[in-house]
Amino acid sequence: TFRKAAEEAGLNPYMVEIANIREHCSWIHKDMEEATEKAVILVRTAIAKVKLNAPLMAGESPVVKRALVIGGGIAGMQTALDIADAGFEVDIVETKPTIGGKMTQIDKTFPTLDCAACILTPKMVDVAQNDKIRIFSYSEVTDVQGFVGNFDVKIKKNARFVKEDICTGCGACVDKCPMKKIPNEFNLGMDNRKAIYIPFAQAVPKVATIDPNACNMLKNGKCGLCAKVCTAGAIDYTQKDEFIEEKYGAIVVATGFNPISMDKFDEFAYNQSKDVITSLEFERLTNAAGPTAGKLLRPSDGKHPHKIVFVQCVGSRCSEDNSKGKPYCSKICCMYTAKHAMLIRDKYPDTDVSVFYIDVRTPGKNFDEFYRRAVEEYGVHYIKGMVGKVSPEGNKLIVQGSD
């Protein structure tokens, strides 16, 4: 390399700067004058940079042989497993009461239509049983100091008001809790949970969590029923937030995503009608563990819909001056919609499914074939055009779009 050649000549290798006019100019530009002008700029830039360079000396620093993964979704879990398999200790910090992330809310995966839980839950168990992995669930990173190889991290472990090392996850406390009207975050508010809850049956760790904003005992000192029925004695109303300080040699950020807020898209009547739902809400409706036990029912009246319209590219491919969403393609919604449409047509052949799209983009192995299956085998109607407005009329929705 050029640095090695400089070192052999007795020069500091870190003083080398390269103006790559071959790959940045001659190979990519057809206009010779334009390419020459750019080459001159690149050379001048490299000369100006090297004037400001200072000689560097290679050194060594001790490295803490423990890694931190921020986020306990599918990416964070796989990362932790890979690091542990390489022989290093690793901690996972997850803000939710359980690891698993958004994939726990998904019913099927494309393009194979495999059960998401069948892929995810074995990994969750592997993480929990791995001796080199520690799980800090219901926790968050509050401060990071230091540098590569030597990070000082402060972790806030939120109070569950349940002792993790004692709770057996039997669910007796959940069954007896009288507070039943708290919107269930796991099902995106489409049903209710108790003030003390376990997010879903396969949660890891399978430990109950008390919502301090909903629990009567924590708010006004009245109730305490969950402590009375807990035979393990795991309920602790006096539990406080705990701060843990650890040193790490490497940090992996796998914090996942949040769906775009629909408050910016009033034209789709999301806040006006319960029957306008997001794709993740649709996942919960079709999941056997969801609010409707896997039956596709309209949230407004509990009846089965016979005509469904999907609107693609909501929040993506927006104009540069549009503050509603992003100017780029999400790369996901074409396949995601095809999967949903196929699942509907397979389970409910009497339901007509239409998809409004800008362009069909299926960049992946067997992805285009998957989309073609939706059209040719399942009879999904694809309409090239954008939806301008959705209007509730009685118990129906009127979708106005271009074709």
Side-chain angles (χ1 to χ4, degrees):
T1 62
F2 293 105
R3 280 187 175 177
K4 187 176 181 180
E7 190 174 18
E8 290 175 351
L11 300 174
N12 188 295
Y14 300 103
M15 295 294 289
V16 173
E17 288 294 334
I18 298 173
N20 191 347
I21 60 175
R22 181 183 67 175
E23 294 174 9
H24 292 172
C25 297
S26 61
W27 281 8
I28 62 171
H29 290 289
K30 295 181 180 179
D31 188 316
M32 188 177 294
E33 290 185 7
E34 186 181 62
T36 302
E37 184 181 353
K38 182 178 177 182
V40 170
I41 294 171
L42 289 175
V43 171
R44 285 177 175 172
T45 302
I47 293 170
K49 174 72 165 55
V50 81
K51 286 180 178 180
L52 300 174
N53 283 355
L56 300 177
M57 302 302 293
E60 292 185 0
S61 296
V63 173
V64 178
K65 294 187 177 181
R66 176 189 289 275
L68 170 66
V69 177
I70 305 175
I74 183 66
M77 289 192 301
Q78 187 60 57
T79 301
L81 286 169
D82 289 344
I83 294 171
D85 288 344
F88 298 100
E89 294 182 331
V90 56
D91 294 344
I92 296 176
V93 174
E94 169 58 45
T95 57
K96 299 291 189 295
T98 173
I99 59 173
K102 289 289 192 299
M103 194 170 176
T104 59
Q105 297 171 292
I106 292 174
D107 187 36
K108 297 286 191 299
T109 60
F110 63 76
T112 57
L113 296 182
D114 287 335
C115 165
C118 301
I119 300 169
L120 183 69
T121 50
K123 286 192 183 296
M124 294 169 66
V125 173
D126 288 345
V127 167
Q129 294 181 346
N130 196 304
D131 292 336
K132 291 188 177 295
I133 299 177
R134 285 193 304 176
I135 299 172
F136 291 105
S137 60
Y138 208 46
S139 305
E140 56 188 306
V141 173
T142 59
D143 187 51
V144 177
Q145 301 290 336
F147 52 93
V148 175
N150 292 270
F151 292 106
D152 294 302
V153 179
K154 183 181 284 187
I155 300 168
K156 179 186 177 185
K157 195 171 183 182
N158 296 309
R160 287 178 183 265
F161 306 101
V162 176
K163 298 173 183 176
E164 287 187 51
D165 56 338
I166 297 177
C167 178
T168 62
C170 67
C173 54
V174 179
D175 293 337
K176 295 296 182 180
C177 179
M179 300 299 292
K180 305 177 181 179
K181 298 293 184 180
I182 298 93
N184 186 353
E185 304 91 344
F186 185 71
N187 285 329
L188 304 170
M190 291 190 288
D191 66 351
N192 296 321
R193 60 163 172 81
K194 303 287 187 72
I196 185 169
Y197 64 100
I198 297 173
F200 58 97
Q202 296 81 25
V204 174
K206 194 168 184 181
V207 176
T209 302
I210 297 179
D211 182 349
N213 297 316
C215 175
N216 275 336
M217 189 66 185
L218 292 174
K219 288 197 299 182
N220 51 42
K222 297 178 181 179
C223 188
L225 195 57
C226 53
K228 295 174 184 176
V229 300
C230 180
T231 56
I235 307 299
D236 181 6
Y237 299 119
T238 64
Q239 199 175 83
K240 303 292 183 183
D241 294 343
E242 181 184 353
F243 287 90
I244 300 166
E245 294 186 6
E246 282 284 356
K247 290 184 176 292
Y248 298 100
I251 299 175
V252 178
V253 180
T255 49
F257 70 94
N258 284 317
I260 193 168
S261 172
M262 290 299 295
D263 293 338
K264 301 177 182 179
F265 301 92
D266 291 337
E267 63 268 30
F268 299 119
Y270 179 80
N271 293 320
Q272 301 170 41
S273 172
K274 291 183 178 180
D275 297 331
V276 179
I277 61 174
T278 65
S279 54
L280 201 55
E281 289 171 337
F282 179 87
E283 290 282 356
R284 298 314 302 150
L285 286 177
T286 57
N287 192 289
T292 59
K295 297 177 183 177
L296 185 59
L297 304 175
R298 293 194 307 193
S300 62
D301 55 14
K303 294 181 179 179
H304 170 60
H306 292 279
K307 195 163 188 176
I308 296 175
V309 172
F310 287 91
V311 182
Q312 299 221 116
C313 304
V314 176
S316 61
R317 300 188 68 181
C318 298
S319 59
E320 292 286 353
D321 58 347
N322 191 330
S323 60
K324 284 185 175 182
K326 307 297 182 184
Y328 49 81
C329 170
S330 73
K331 197 183 176 181
I332 191 84
C333 68
C334 286
M335 288 294 291
Y336 201 29
T337 301
K339 180 195 79 170
H340 286 160
M342 288 166 67
L343 292 174
I344 294 170
R345 292 287 294 163
D346 181 58
K347 196 171 181 179
Y348 305 99
D350 62 327
T351 300
D352 184 69
V353 179
S354 300
V355 178
F356 280 89
Y357 70 99
I358 300 175
D359 297 294
V360 174
R361 294 179 172 180
T362 51
K365 186 178 181 180
N366 296 325
F367 281 16
D368 195 59
E369 291 83 351
F370 186 83
Y371 150 68
R372 294 308 311 169
R373 276 179 63 199
V375 176
E376 296 165 9
E377 292 183 30
Y378 290 87
V380 179
H381 307 299
Y382 272 76
I383 303 168
K384 187 174 176 61
M386 296 181 68
V387 170
K389 189 176 182 182
V390 176
S391 306
E393 288 193 11
N395 62 351
K396 292 186 178 181
L397 295 165
I398 305 301
V399 180
Q400 299 176 2
S402 57
D403 184 353

